[in-house]
Structure formats: structure tokens, C-alpha cells
Amino acid sequence: MTTDPRWIDEHGHEIDEDHRGLVYDIHTLVDRRRALGLFGGIGVTALLAACASPEPGGGATAATTATPRSSASASASASAAASDLVAEVPDETGGPYPGDGSNGVNVLDDSGIVRSDIRSSFGSSTTVAAGVPLTIALTVRDAATGSALVGAGVYLWHCDRDGSYSLYSRGVEGENYLRGVQETDSAGTVRFTSIYPACYSGRWPHIHFEVYSDVANAVASGPIVKTSQIALPEEVNDLVYATPGYEQSVRNLAQTSLARDNVFGDDGGIHQIASMSGSVAGGYTAALTIGV
């Protein structure tokens, strides 16, 4: 058999296979394992071009420049897509004070429930709940795709500075403050102006919410897409509860923890702890992105 002249050295001797270089190895592997698809999505031409000598003047060939650039672009796109994904928030109880008609009173069909500032009652009472200012920013995404859920309805509620729930607790049965419905914007976000809730006995400080397909379904007590809760972080709890009016919360917080909480305890609230910014003097913002 005639030896390929590429593998003959300057003395006329055949070069040993182990010293013929990467180009020879690639040709041999392709011939032997083509059916197995050894190189997957990597083009053989690109591999060979990458092994070739640079053109005169040091310039790379078209193949060596185009292939890495397109690979980098694909990797960047894949990374960007992955970063948009968000874990599905756990389903949690709405608790005994939902005000959505599932346990007695229904505030969702009352005129005035669709609002962003939930500090005051509406209707026959205008009582304003006292406490450290808190803005709640909840962003809702499709857990499967990462896409923002635009136009979804979010019903949100929580206790007041004393640990009481409007519509239910003794002394505030005639109030409906700290409850409201909003529509998610183009980023899938709703924002509520509220006050920092108390820590009452047996529970970690938290905020309740229900997600509906749209506001129309929310105010009609239609099908609920997701019921869950937001956990407030310990560091900010300590700062807020050191202010006047939250004295009972200090004692209650000392007797519980995220790990012992009957809602967040199973996973430490890993997908439900809000990110906080702000201060006691200027108020806080609690932000959370959830997948549904």
C-alpha cells in the first residue's frame, strides 16, 4: 500500500503514527467513529481549520474566527434563558383570615378593594393602620418559562402592628385595612403600600397572597392560581420590632424561628424570604419574585 506523502519525512522515511499530529488523529477518528457521532455538534471542518497553520501575516482563517464566536453567542443565549427561570413558590395555606369568601366574610367583591395603598380601611371606615412603612413588591413569573405574568390579579393581606387581622380579630371586625388587589404590570410586578406586620404567637412574620389569572377573576373569587406566603427576614424583623408599638412582637419572635414555623419550617422558606431594602426611619421595601 502506498503511503500518503504527507506522512513521509525529509529523509524519505515514513513518520510513525504517534508523531503525525492532531490533523492525522482527527482524520483517523472520523473515519473510525463517524457512525457514533463522536464530535456531536462540533463541525469536523471547524476542527481541522482550527488545527491549520495561520495564514501569512498571522491572520486566522475564517473558520477559526466564526466558530468560536457563534459558540460563545449560543452559550450566552443559553445562560440568559436559564437566568430567567424561577423556582415555583410552594403552595401554602391561606390561613383562617383570608377574607376571600372561603372562611366567612368576602372582601373581594367590595368596591374599593382594587388599590395599591392598603394602609386604610375603605367603605364605611377610614381607619389607617399604624406601623413602620413597608412597600411590598411581588413579581409573578411562569415557573416553566420564566416569562413575566402580565395582567395577573394578586390579592394580598396581612396582620396589623398588633397581630390582628381586619374583618376577623376582636376589635377590628369592622375594618378592612391591609387588604388589596392589584394587576401585575409589564414586568409581572405588583406594588402595595402598607405597614410592617407584627409577629404574633406561633408564627414567623409573614404576608399572605393569592394569584389569579386576572383581576376580574380575583374580585369574583374565581379560580386561584397560587396561594402562598412571603417570609420577612430576621435581621429586619429585629430592627422594626425594636420601635414603639411592636413590643409584643419582640417577645413572640424570640419564641419562634423559620425552622420551627408550621409554614416555612419544611424548607426554611428558601423560595419565600423577601429581599429587603430601606430603613426604619424611611420605611422598607420587601421584594420577592415567585414562580407559579
Side-chain angles (χ1 to χ4, degrees), residues 209-252:
F209 66 87
E210 293 172 347
V211 178
Y212 295 79
S213 59
D214 52 37
V215 168
N217 268 293
V219 298
S221 298
I224 299 172
V225 175
K226 175 71 67 174
T227 301
S228 195
Q229 299 180 25
I230 302 170
L232 297 174
E234 184 172 10
E235 296 81 0
V236 179
N237 293 335
D238 289 339
L239 293 172
V240 171
Y241 296 159
T243 64
Y246 287 98
E247 290 81 6
Q248 186 61 45
S249 290
V250 176
R251 292 186 286 272
N252 291 333

Side-chain angles (χ1 to χ4, degrees), residues 3-281:
T3 302
D4 190 318
R6 288 179 297 174
W7 318 126
I8 301 297
D9 65 17
E10 65 272 22
H11 303 296
H13 302 302
E14 183 177 354
I15 300 172
D16 186 85
E17 287 189 3
D18 294 338
H19 298 89
R20 293 181 181 180
L22 183 58
V23 172
Y24 175 81
D25 293 340
I26 291 174
H27 277 292
T28 303
L29 286 171
V30 170
D31 290 340
R32 292 177 179 175
R33 302 188 183 182
R34 188 182 302 273
L36 297 179
L38 177 66
F39 298 104
I42 303 176
V44 174
T45 302
L47 282 171
L48 293 174
C51 300
S53 299
E55 293 180 350
T61 64
T64 58
T65 56
T67 301
R69 187 175 296 131
S70 60
S71 297
S73 177
S75 298
S77 298
S79 297
S83 67
D84 288 338
L85 297 180
V86 59
E88 182 174 355
V89 70
D91 292 300
E92 308 289 10
T93 175
Y97 316 117
D100 61 2
S102 62
N103 184 26
V105 64
N106 184 7
V107 73
L108 291 177
D109 58 2
D110 288 356
S111 176
I113 189 62
V114 179
R115 59 195 184 135
S116 60
D117 190 336
I118 61 175
R119 291 174 295 179
S120 66
S121 289
F122 58 91
S124 59
S125 173
T126 57
T127 301
V128 178
V132 171
L134 177 67
T135 297
I136 305 159
L138 184 65
T139 299
V140 187
R141 291 185 178 175
D142 185 324
T145 66
S147 300
L149 291 188
V150 180
V154 176
Y155 168 45
L156 182 142
W157 73 99
H158 61 80
C159 71
D160 62 18
R161 188 173 62 179
D162 298 320
S164 299
Y165 282 89
S166 66
L167 303 174
Y168 292 91
S169 300
R170 181 178 299 177
V172 293
E173 301 95 327
E175 307 293 349
N176 51 26
Y177 54 52
L178 308 182
R179 299 177 184 272
V181 172
Q182 277 284 287
E183 180 180 74
T184 58
D185 62 16
S186 59
T189 302
V190 289
R191 289 178 176 81
F192 292 92
T193 301
S194 191
I195 58 99
Y196 209 94
C199 176
Y200 54 86
S201 180
R203 281 302 318 275
W204 186 262
H206 62 281
I207 297 167
H208 294 269
F209 66 87
E210 293 172 347
V211 178
Y212 295 79
S213 59
D214 52 37
V215 168
N217 268 293
V219 298
S221 298
I224 299 172
V225 175
K226 175 71 67 174
T227 301
S228 195
Q229 299 180 25
I230 302 170
L232 297 174
E234 184 172 10
E235 296 81 0
V236 179
N237 293 335
D238 289 339
L239 293 172
V240 171
Y241 296 159
T243 64
Y246 287 98
E247 290 81 6
Q248 186 61 45
S249 290
V250 176
R251 292 186 286 272
N252 291 333
L253 187 65
Q255 297 170 4
T256 188
S257 67
L258 271 171
R260 294 199 301 269
D261 187 73
N262 61 10
V263 170
F264 305 122
D266 57 347
D267 61 2
I270 187 171
H271 299 304
Q272 295 157 276
I273 300 177
S275 297
M276 306 295 295
S277 60
S279 65
V280 168

